[in-house]
Each structure stands twice: as C-alpha cells, then as structure tokens.
Amino acid sequence: MSSKQNHAQWSSRMGFILAAVGSAVGLGNIWKFPYMVGESGGAVFVLVYLLCIALIGFPILVAEWMIGRRGQKNPMDSYSAVAASEGKSTSWGFIGMVGILGAFIILSFYSVIGGWALNYMTKIAGGQFSGLDSDAVEAVFNTMLASPSTLTIWHTVFMLITGIIVALGVTNGIERAAKVLIPLLGVLLLVIVGYNLMNGGFGEAVTYLFSPDLTKLTGEGSSDIVLSALGHAFFTLSLGMGIMIAYGSYLGNDVSLLSMARTVVILDTVIALAAGLAIFPIIFSNGMDPAAGPGLIFVSLPIAFGSMSAGLVLGTLFFLLITFAALTSSISLIEPSIEFLEERTPMSRTMSVIVASIAIWLLGVAALLSFNVWSDVMIMGNNIFDFLDKLTSKFMLPIAGLAATIFVGWVMNQDSVRSELGLSGGSWTLWQIIAKFVAPIGVIIVFINTLLN
Ligand code: PFF
C-alpha cells in the first residue's frame, strides 16, 4: 500500500495481519536466528532473545503501530504529526529517517541471502545433494561463496523479483498467498524436525537450545550476546524501520493492537524455534560446527534432504518457501525507500522503484563481494557484509525502537494511549511499567554495557 492512496484502511484485519506476519517472518527466522544461536553459544542466546521479544519487542511493536495509527501518515510525518498534536517538537520525524536508511541497508544484504535460497532451490531440484556427506555439502556451499558471478546473478534475480512485485502493485496478492504458504513452511519445518527425531542429534539439540548455561552471561563476550539477541529481536519483528509504523497508519481504530501483536509475535517466535529444531540436530549428528556462521542452514539442511526419500521434492519446496517468506519481507523493506523517493522527488512510482532497486542492488553487490574478492576489505574490523548487518541490527534498529517506546511512554498523552489500548486497572499498570521503564531502560542498559566492554 502506498501513502498516495490517501490513507485507505486495511480492507480486513486479515489483510493487516498477513502483511505484518509477511514482513516479520522471513530469513530472519530461518537463516539468521539459527546461525546467531550457534555463534552466541546456544541456549543463553535463546533465553535472552525470548526475554527481549517479550519485554522489549512486543511493546515496541505495539508502540510503532500506535504511532502510525495516530499519525495516519508515513513514518517520518507520523512522528511529526503526533508530536505536534501533543505540543512536542516535530524533530521526532528524524527517527523515521533512520528507519528508511536502515531498511535500505538491510535489503541490500537480505537480497544476497534471498539469492542463496533461490540458488539452493535449483541445486536441490537438480539433485545436486543426493547422497552427499557433510563435507561434500560444505564444499558446494563454499564453491558458491567463492564465485562473485554466481552470487551476483542470484542476488540480481531476487532483487528483480522484489522490484517487479512492488512495481506491478501486486503486494496484496503476495500477502494473501502468505496465508497458505507460511503455514506450509511451518509444516515443512515440522517434517524436518520429524526426520531429525529419527536420525539422531535431537536430544543434544534440545539441550543446546533450551538448557542455558547462565555463567555465560557473566563472562567475556556476554554483552555481545545480549546486544546480538536484542538486535535480532528488532530484526525478526521488523522493528525500528518505520515499516510497522507505516502498516499501523492503515489500521482502523476498531482493531486491538495488543491481540494483533500477540499473534505476530507468537507466530514469528514459533517459526524461529522450529527452525532451530530443524537445523541443530543435523549439525550435531554430522559432527558439524554450530558456529559456522551465515552458511549454517545451507550446509545442514541439504544433508537431510539429500538422504530423505522424498528429499528432492521436499527440499525444493522448502527453499521455494524460504524464498517466498523472504520476498514478503523484502517487499516491506523496499517500500520506505520507494515512498521516500516518490514523495520527496518528482519521480513517478515506477521510476522510484527502479532507482531504489538499483541503489539497493549495488550495495548488495558490495556485500556479496565480501565473501570472495573483497574479503580483506574491512570496516571497523568487519567485512562489508557483517558491517552492514551489525550497523543495522545492533545500532540503527535498537535506537529507532528505543525512540518509539520513549515516544509512546513519555511523549504521548497517557490517557489517549490507555484508551487506544483499551486497558484499565492492573493490565494498564503492567503496560506502563513495561513501556515506560522496562523496554527503554533495557535497551539503554544493553547499550551502555556494550560500550563499557
Ligand atoms: N523481519 C524480517 C525477517 O525476520 O526476515 C526481516 C526484516 C523485514 C527486517 C523488515 C526489518 C524489516 F523492517
């Protein structure tokens, strides 16, 4: 939906939920969550992540929708409009700008991984993994990474599909398809979990994911675990990008923000945890390294598909569904840049789509080169890909999200917040404790801790 539609409202609650779930569920759940768990040592990360989702992500999701619903405009102007109506500075609109830039950067590397998923779909369909052992599967992945042209081709295809969907204005259709395809993705994850139950490594994976060693929270690197978990909570719920603010601006007053947020958060979390149970048993039963990094799902899942009887079909379908989930997120990620160009420059919508797609694509090419020819190019100790990822997840998203809770907890008139949420008595007090104190202070503590360490 573009803001040029004069702020129409969602035709149905379902439309809103589908768009929000479509944006939230994506590579963040299936590709990023497992490898971050692996890099951060397992269950401790999962525990902190779940706390961040419940105590910080959930209230910020509600806060962002509320700002959009009250402002009825694009993220920048919604902040300004609501601030102005409360007699506060309109410079809050600046936060909207951080979001536009953040979405732009995220999509650049997101599209590279979307390209990997597309490439893997064709590889599995072509039977490339049939009967391969873990070393051979890893070799296939490394060969892909070493080839700038392969990575560029698939990144281009993913970006092209995203641009075409948005240019044709068929995002609603894509979101409606999500109603069938996201649950199907869930079912396939369960099929893989079922396969794992019979093929070993399951108990080890459950312990790895759910039995935290709390001493890791005091040792060296602990603040990085917490900041990573916080950043990922924002990433996976699409917070701090202005995207949920934009969605909220199309929302009618009859919709309960709290119950909508509960649905989105539960679905998103369940899919991430299921992805963990689909991947780690394969890692352990094949003696692989859980801290292998961004390639984790690409070196583990093909092993399972390569040895299942219906692996060819299931594997192809699985990577097709991941690509689809990635597309429902990427169409939300490209929208802020397009709207910005459309509203602030004389460009038409189509021209805005073209310009935004090319600019994002170019940055994505720089990101993918960090897996091969530019692997030595470092920005503040990180290659380009990691730099873009960390800059957004660990800094831009949490800062923009922090602003959203401060705005709703402290800047907006609390009587209107209460009536907007329909809360009273104890539940209103609980909301206030979380929105005014727990969420913003949580983010601030994590930041200070990281800076001090
Ligand atoms: N939430 C998406 C995922 O988990 O894959 C990624 C994403 C979409 C991040 C939109 C941020 C965003 F604004």
Side-chain angles (χ1 to χ4, degrees):
M1 260 189 230
S2 98
S3 63
K4 286 204 172 157
Q5 286 172 310
N6 209 8
H7 263 83
Q9 291 189 345
W10 299 96
S11 51
S12 67
R13 235 163 257 230
M14 198 53 166
F16 172 73
I17 276 287
L18 288 176
V21 170
S23 176
V25 174
L27 296 171
N29 305 64
I30 294 167
W31 157 71
K32 199 170 184 204
F33 174 74
Y35 95 73
M36 294 197 77
V37 172
E39 283 188 338
S40 300
V44 165
F45 179 89
V46 177
L47 176 71
V48 179
Y49 163 79
L50 291 176
L51 286 173
C52 288
I53 290 279
L55 296 175
I56 299 175
F58 179 85
I60 292 180
L61 180 58
V62 173
E64 291 202 351
W65 284 345
M66 196 186 299
I67 293 166
R69 182 156 79 173
R70 289 287 297 284
Q72 293 285 305
K73 298 201 171 63
N74 67 54
M76 252 186 310
D77 297 334
S78 283
Y79 263 114
S80 305
V82 179
S85 74
E86 305 277 359
K88 302 280 170 29
S89 161
T90 52
S91 47
W92 277 96
F94 169 74
I95 296 298
M97 194 66 214
V98 174
I100 295 173
L101 195 63
F104 178 94
I105 297 175
I106 290 182
L107 184 51
S108 72
F109 66 82
Y110 203 82
S111 167
V112 173
I113 311 297
W116 294 3
L118 272 168
N119 186 4
Y120 264 58
M121 188 173 84
T122 60
K123 282 184 192 299
I124 294 188
Q128 260 203 41
F129 295 107
S130 303
L132 295 195
D133 66 7
S134 57
D135 287 343
V137 168
E138 273 184 51
V140 172
F141 180 70
N142 291 333
T143 308
M144 177 184 80
L145 275 198
S147 164
S149 56
T150 308
L151 296 185
T152 304
I153 290 169
W154 291 104
H155 161 53
T156 308
V157 174
F158 187 87
M159 229 17 247
L160 259 179
I161 302 176
T162 302
I164 289 171
I165 292 172
V166 177
L168 293 181
V170 293
T171 49
N172 290 348
I174 299 291
E175 278 149 10
R176 251 176 281 134
K179 194 172 167 179
V180 182
L181 296 179
I182 300 276
L184 192 56
L185 177 65
V187 170
L188 269 189
L189 278 171
L190 290 183
V191 170
I192 305 170
V193 174
Y195 165 91
N196 288 338
L197 269 172
M198 292 175 303
N199 285 278
F202 198 79
E204 203 178 334
V206 170
T207 310
Y208 183 75
L209 288 170
F210 300 114
S211 169
D213 170 5
L214 294 177
T215 57
K216 285 193 179 147
L217 281 178
T218 52
E220 208 186 313
S222 58
S223 61
D224 201 48
I225 295 180
V226 179
L227 184 59
S228 298
L230 178 72
H232 190 61
F234 284 99
F235 186 94
T236 193
L237 293 176
S238 304
L239 299 174
M241 301 278 87
I243 287 169
M244 291 302 184
I245 299 182
Y247 284 0
S249 73
Y250 297 101
L251 204 52
N253 277 325
D254 52 332
V255 173
S256 158
L257 300 182
L258 291 169
S259 71
M260 290 281 171
R262 198 168 45 221
T263 308
V264 172
V265 165
I266 291 177
L267 260 170
D268 190 79
T269 308
V270 167
I271 293 193
L273 295 176
L277 288 174
I279 286 156
F280 284 106
I282 304 173
I283 299 285
F284 292 127
S285 61
N286 286 280
M288 300 167 86
D289 178 14
L296 198 66
I297 68 164
F298 298 94
V299 296
S300 56
L301 292 178
I303 299 177
F305 292 128
S307 68
M308 273 181 208
S309 48
L312 219 62
V313 175
L314 288 179
T316 309
L317 187 58
F318 187 76
F319 278 95
L320 176 73
L321 291 172
I322 295 185
T323 308
F324 176 81
L327 281 170
T328 60
S329 301
S330 67
I331 56 181
S332 77
L333 281 164
I334 197 173
E335 196 61 48
S337 305
I338 294 171
E339 259 185 33
F340 180 80
L341 292 176
E342 219 184 340
E343 288 176 6
R344 309 269 156 150
T345 70
M347 281 188 254
S348 68
R349 178 156 175 100
T350 312
M351 203 54 208
S352 305
V353 174
I354 295 172
V355 170
S357 305
I358 292 177
I360 293 167
W361 177 84
L362 272 174
L363 188 59
V365 171
L368 68 84
L369 291 179
S370 54
F371 293 109
N372 37 67
V373 289
W374 282 359
S375 59
D376 293 338
V377 178
M378 294 286 163
I379 307 173
M380 299 165 88
N382 292 285
N383 67 30
I384 300 174
F385 185 95
D386 289 342
F387 175 75
L388 297 175
D389 177 17
K390 287 183 183 163
L391 173 70
T392 46
S393 284
K394 291 191 175 172
F395 297 97
M396 297 175 77
L397 306 189
I399 287 171
L402 173 65
T405 55
I406 293 180
F407 192 80
V408 166
W410 297 93
V411 175
M412 278 174 74
N413 176 305
Q414 293 303 295
D415 285 336
S416 56
V417 172
R418 173 159 51 181
S419 68
E420 186 117 16
L421 294 178
L423 293 176
S424 58
S427 47
W428 169 243
T429 311
L430 181 65
W431 163 264
Q432 285 222 301
I433 292 173
I434 291 181
K436 270 177 135 62
F437 301 103
V438 177
I441 292 175
V443 178
I444 292 168
I445 290 179
V446 173
F447 266 125
I448 293 182
N449 233 318
T450 315
L451 290 179
L452 292 181
N453 273 282

